[in-house]
Amino acid sequence: MASCYYEKGRGTMFAKLLCRILICLFIAVGVSSLATAQEKDRAALIERAKKEGEVVWYTSAGLQDSNPMAEAFQKDYPFIRISVIRAGSGVLINRILNEARAQKGLFDVLNTNDESVLPLKKRGLIDRYVSTEASFYDDDLKDKEGYWHTAYVIPWFLGYNTKMVKKDELPKTYEELLNPKWKGRKIALGSDNGSLILSGLMRVWGKEKAMRYFQQLAKQEPAIQAGAPSSRIQLVAAGEFPLTLASGNTLQTFASRGAPVDWVPLEPVFVQLNTIILAAQSRHPNATKLFIDFVLSKKGQEMIRSFHRVPARTGVDAEPPRIFKGFKRVVQDIETAASVEETTKLYNEILNIR
């Protein structure tokens, strides 16, 4: 009886083992088939791209960054020529809209700030494309519908002059910026780009609380500075102001060069996106998809890091990694970004900026 029970037990164990082996085999065959299908799709995409032979890239990135990226792509795909058209975001968007009115779709791919996505999407000027690299990006760094991916991120931190402010004196929260010790031109704010913080706090706290906070911040008599964050950070480094709210990669660039500047994240950290998007009327869609994949690839993101920017891809850390790790973040919403003019107007009214 005991022997019969043992034999049945052995049979059951054998059947379970056999079942597991078969499942593993089916999975392996399925994965292999999927990989083969992907390789065939990729080969077909490359063949179509060869026939197109060109990508017209509209970019707001400086030529010191965009030209090396184009050259690296052309080295990997020598049968595709990249034509780089560089201008400010506003200029590029106006150019694209004018081309659309003239029924001339001249660009293939655009990378620019997240504020530009929705206006182009509403006019049907950008198209869906889910990159083969998309799985390496967090959900808040790519569009669930496939209209955009993040090329790099711009987190905003509290920067400070290390000679004027001791670490144990640093504000650790937005509320601590309201401490009387920071009153009287102690905090430098941007006149044309500081509304990101107001917009972000409105999402997190609600409009009324965020407005009350900024009204209190205005009573601190902050120094309002026009121009790019780099000019404001330069003044902080020179000792004109002890504190500023500014873009993290620029703060880190100053710190890396030995300036008396460092930064801390005030949570939540608000993050702007630089997006890369496919033109709806692209004349070279296959070559363009290869280029988008390249920018989002590990190699492309490592290049972006070398440009002193903050890569968005999981597994490619920024330099230093703490620029995009270890804090709660709120990524600028594409819908919210589209209403930047309204938020900027409100920001200007509260801070009495004319």
Side-chain angles (χ1 to χ4, degrees):
M1 185 74 176
S3 176
C4 180
Y5 178 82
Y6 173 73
E7 290 297 322
K8 287 181 179 179
R10 284 185 61 188
T12 302
M13 291 173 63
F14 179 77
K16 288 182 177 179
L17 179 61
L18 180 61
C19 183
R20 289 175 182 172
I21 292 172
L22 288 173
I23 289 172
C24 290
L25 284 173
F26 284 133
I27 291 173
V29 170
V31 170
S32 177
S33 299
L34 179 61
T36 301
Q38 289 175 339
E39 288 173 4
K40 288 181 178 178
D41 289 345
R42 189 71 175 177
L45 178 66
I46 290 173
E47 286 304 311
R48 293 193 297 270
K50 285 181 179 179
K51 296 176 182 177
E52 295 169 352
E54 185 182 10
V55 171
V56 179
W57 179 22
Y58 284 14
T59 177
S60 60
L63 292 177
Q64 73 276 10
D65 297 346
S66 50
N67 280 342
M69 182 69 76
E71 290 166 5
F73 173 77
Q74 289 173 160
K75 187 174 181 180
D76 283 2
Y77 299 95
F79 45 84
I80 300 174
R81 181 173 64 88
I82 301 285
S83 298
V84 180
I85 309 298
R86 194 273 163 192
S89 294
V91 173
L92 288 175
I93 299 307
N94 286 334
R95 178 170 178 162
I96 290 171
L97 295 176
N98 288 333
E99 290 172 357
R101 282 190 284 268
Q103 298 184 336
K104 293 180 179 179
L106 301 181
F107 82 106
D108 293 307
V109 61
L110 168 70
N111 86 278
T112 189
N113 60 51
D114 44 15
E115 298 164 7
S116 305
V117 174
L118 195 60
L120 297 178
K121 180 182 176 183
K122 285 182 174 179
R123 291 169 173 81
L125 298 176
I126 60 176
D127 204 359
R128 291 184 176 93
Y129 172 59
V130 178
S131 170
T132 56
E133 305 292 334
S135 61
F136 295 96
Y137 290 76
D138 291 342
D139 288 344
D140 59 348
L141 303 179
K142 61 189 176 186
D143 181 31
K144 61 183 180 182
E145 295 182 318
Y147 279 102
W148 54 268
H149 299 75
T150 300
Y152 58 85
V153 297
I154 307 167
W156 276 55
F157 302 131
L158 177 67
Y160 65 98
N161 182 300
T162 56
K163 294 181 180 180
M164 300 175 72
V165 185
K166 297 178 181 177
K167 282 192 174 182
D168 59 358
E169 297 177 337
L170 275 171
K172 303 297 191 299
T173 65
Y174 292 101
E175 289 88 347
E176 289 183 19
L177 289 174
L178 304 180
N179 189 306
K181 74 165 64 176
W182 306 120
K183 186 173 182 177
R185 295 180 61 80
K186 299 288 182 63
I187 306 169
L189 299 177
S191 64
D192 54 355
N193 49 33
S195 60
L196 169 73
I197 305 298
L198 173 58
S199 175
L201 289 177
M202 286 169 65
R203 286 178 61 199
V204 176
W205 292 350
K207 185 175 181 178
E208 289 187 8
K209 182 178 177 180
M211 286 181 62
R212 283 197 305 271
Y213 172 77
F214 260 82
Q215 287 164 354
Q216 291 176 293
L217 187 62
K219 293 178 181 178
Q220 292 288 74
E221 301 170 7
I224 307 299
Q225 299 293 310
S230 58
S231 61
R232 191 162 68 252
I233 297 168
Q234 179 70 58
L235 292 173
V236 169
E240 293 290 326
F241 318 105
L243 302 175
T244 187
L245 290 168
S247 53
N249 58 303
T250 311
L251 285 164
Q252 183 57 45
T253 297
F254 274 79
S256 299
R257 292 173 179 171
V261 171
D262 204 350
W263 54 267
V264 291
L266 300 183
E267 293 187 314
V269 171
F270 298 110
V271 180
Q272 289 176 300
L273 306 180
N274 183 282
T275 58
I276 186 163
I277 47 185
L278 172 68
Q281 301 299 321
S282 171
R283 294 173 296 170
H284 317 101
N286 300 289
T288 302
K289 289 173 183 177
L290 288 179
F291 178 67
I292 292 173
D293 292 347
F294 179 83
V295 172
L296 300 176
S297 71
K298 186 172 185 289
K299 181 177 180 178
Q301 291 290 293
E302 287 173 344
M303 287 191 70
I304 283 173
R305 178 175 60 194
S306 74
F307 301 151
H308 305 291
R309 298 192 182 277
V310 183
R313 182 186 171 102
T314 300
V316 181
D317 286 341
E319 183 57 47
R322 73 185 183 104
I323 292 183
F324 206 48
K325 280 188 173 182
F327 51 74
K328 180 182 177 181
R329 73 187 188 218
V330 173
V331 172
Q332 187 171 27
D333 180 69
I334 296 296
E335 299 281 343
T336 303
S339 60
V340 65
E341 289 186 10
E342 180 183 338
T343 308
T344 299
K345 181 180 179 181
L346 183 60
Y347 174 83
N348 291 345
E349 288 175 356
I350 294 173
L351 294 171
N352 198 28
I353 300 172
R354 293 182 173 84

